[in-house]
Amino acid sequence: MSNTKILVTGANGQIGRVLTTALREKYGKETVLATDITKIEGDIEPFEFLDILNTQRLKEIVQDYDITQVYHLAAILSASGEWNPVKTWNINLNGLLSILELAREKQMDRVFFPSTIAVFGNTTPRINTHQDVPLLPTTVYGMSKTSGELWCNYYHLKYGVDARSVRYPGIIGWQSLPAGGTTDYAVEIYHEALKSGKYECFLAENTRLPMMYMNDAIKATIDLMEAPKESLSLHYGYNLAAMSFTPAEIAAEIQKHIPDFKISYKPDFRQEIAASWSETIDDSQARKDWNWKPDFDLASMTVDMLKHLREIL
Ligand code: AKB
């Protein structure tokens, strides 16, 4: 790692905040440059403002900091993406293309691109979804991530760029709030359970979706990036799974700790998005290639979430 210099884009996002801290703990603070279009409070240095569409500024940063690895997290998520499809496409896809092009030019060591279960669509088998299945996403976010995976694969095949990717399920953590996603309810529900003892869910009670605790998401990301090149058979999104549950099931788990907690349901436009995604995922390729294995299930995640949120709320 001695010459390694890591760039994190979208470092102020739900995963970015936690991943930046984890990378700094592992490789040293000065090794990891955080960038985002907005700056969070507190000690986030080294930090640079970066609009991912400002290609000139991106080039300067890569040059000035001798960047050798990128974790490219800057993106607009599934629900927000539907309000502004063209902007979402531009940020999610053209941002990635700038990064891949720089990775090729500068012969970077490797690039991480977060994909998602939103690449799946109504033609994808929904139960135990395999790695290579029909992808016909219904959101612009899903379209941009599907195309992003293809571009990662293309840059790998054509130019030898070592692009690596996982298809994140919904990510749940106490450290940061998600914004604009369809799976956001699974974070909000814990906050509301502690603050008001009730939650109105924007998905229907039996909508089953794949989910993952933040600790596992960070572990998966770093493990994939550290895996030896020879062990990787895919340079597009690896399927990744930890648990799958419905709003009714997560509510029942919370009620084991907060018996008076009440949930009600008022599905909105996000219900249709959720209904187009998989329920459960087959992640055997990730398990085989780089020994992926999650640590948390719904019960252990709930204990840990409530413990940490009680301390900070
Ligand atoms: C979203 O809901 O948009 C994201 C995702 C599953 O990629 N959390």
Side-chain angles (χ1 to χ4, degrees):
M1 291 296 290
S2 56
N3 294 325
T4 300
K5 279 280 181 179
I6 296 173
L7 167 67
V8 182
T9 71
N12 195 12
Q14 185 204 8
I15 299 176
R17 288 189 191 200
V18 191
L19 183 64
T20 302
T21 306
L23 290 170
R24 285 179 174 166
E25 274 166 17
K26 197 167 173 72
Y27 304 124
K29 203 166 184 260
E30 295 306 317
T31 304
V32 184
L33 174 69
T35 62
D36 204 301
I37 199 159
T38 57
K39 193 170 184 185
I40 47 169
E41 304 267 308
D43 182 19
I44 182 116
E45 303 301 336
F47 175 88
E48 294 280 354
F49 283 103
L50 176 65
D51 173 347
I52 200 61
L53 295 178
N54 187 343
T55 320
Q56 186 51 37
R57 184 71 196 119
L58 173 64
K59 269 189 191 154
E60 284 164 13
I61 288 175
V62 166
Q63 188 78 33
D64 293 352
Y65 287 85
D66 291 322
I67 296 298
T68 62
Q69 287 190 15
V70 181
Y71 289 74
H72 176 48
L73 303 182
I76 296 181
L77 296 186
S78 57
S80 314
E82 295 306 285
W83 297 118
N84 202 336
V86 174
K87 182 176 168 201
T88 303
W89 177 263
N90 215 4
I91 288 177
N92 291 8
L93 211 268
N94 293 334
L96 171 67
L97 281 180
S98 306
I99 298 278
L100 287 173
E101 203 38 28
L102 278 168
R104 179 181 72 82
E105 263 171 48
K106 305 277 175 203
Q107 300 189 330
M108 281 185 201
D109 191 25
R110 57 199 64 173
V111 171
F112 177 77
F113 171 65
S115 188
T116 160
I117 53 167
V119 297
F120 304 131
N122 290 321
T123 57
T124 308
R126 303 193 64 220
I127 313 289
N128 204 24
T129 303
H130 291 277
Q131 180 65 46
D132 292 313
V133 285
L135 303 178
L136 198 58
T138 57
T139 59
V140 70
Y141 170 66
M143 283 158 54
S144 67
K145 292 292 182 175
T146 306
S147 308
E149 285 194 26
L150 293 174
W151 276 108
C152 287
N153 195 47
Y154 182 85
Y155 266 74
H156 174 68
L157 292 174
K158 270 272 189 238
Y159 309 120
V161 171
D162 190 355
R164 303 179 178 201
S165 177
V166 292
R167 292 173 179 158
Y168 287 130
I171 305 297
I172 299 153
W174 53 269
Q175 302 92 329
S176 51
L177 285 168
T182 302
T183 58
D184 294 8
Y185 91 85
V187 182
E188 290 168 8
I189 194 170
Y190 286 106
H191 285 256
E192 287 309 315
L194 288 171
K195 281 195 226 151
S196 65
K198 58 182 182 356
Y199 180 65
E200 185 178 87
C201 186
F202 57 75
L203 295 185
E205 65 178 306
N206 292 324
T207 313
R208 185 173 303 283
L209 286 173
M211 301 279 183
M212 179 175 288
Y213 198 36
M214 182 68 84
N215 300 34
D216 279 330
I218 301 300
K219 183 177 81 158
T221 307
I222 297 179
D223 283 358
L224 172 64
M225 285 295 269
E226 287 196 334
K229 268 191 187 135
E230 322 71 69
S231 65
L232 300 183
S233 58
L234 305 180
H235 286 273
Y236 55 95
Y238 273 95
N239 273 6
L240 205 57
M243 59 185 105
S244 285
F245 56 76
T246 64
E249 287 166 356
I250 189 175
E253 197 58 44
I254 292 172
Q255 279 157 352
K256 290 182 187 164
H257 305 269
I258 308 172
D260 292 337
F261 173 63
K262 300 262 179 310
I263 184 162
S264 56
Y265 302 94
K266 195 172 174 204
D268 64 17
F269 73 101
R270 289 169 279 194
Q271 178 61 33
E272 205 181 316
I273 298 177
S276 74
W277 293 351
S278 294
E279 293 190 11
T280 53
I281 305 283
D282 171 358
D283 61 356
S284 46
Q285 199 64 44
R287 289 177 187 250
K288 181 165 163 263
D289 286 4
W290 41 280
N291 298 320
W292 156 247
K293 191 171 161 301
D295 292 326
F296 286 84
D297 59 12
L298 177 57
S300 51
M301 173 177 79
T302 300
V303 169
D304 209 56
M305 275 296 279
L306 292 175
K307 173 175 160 279
H308 283 290
L309 286 179
R310 277 197 171 104
E311 281 161 17
I312 60 172
L313 284 180

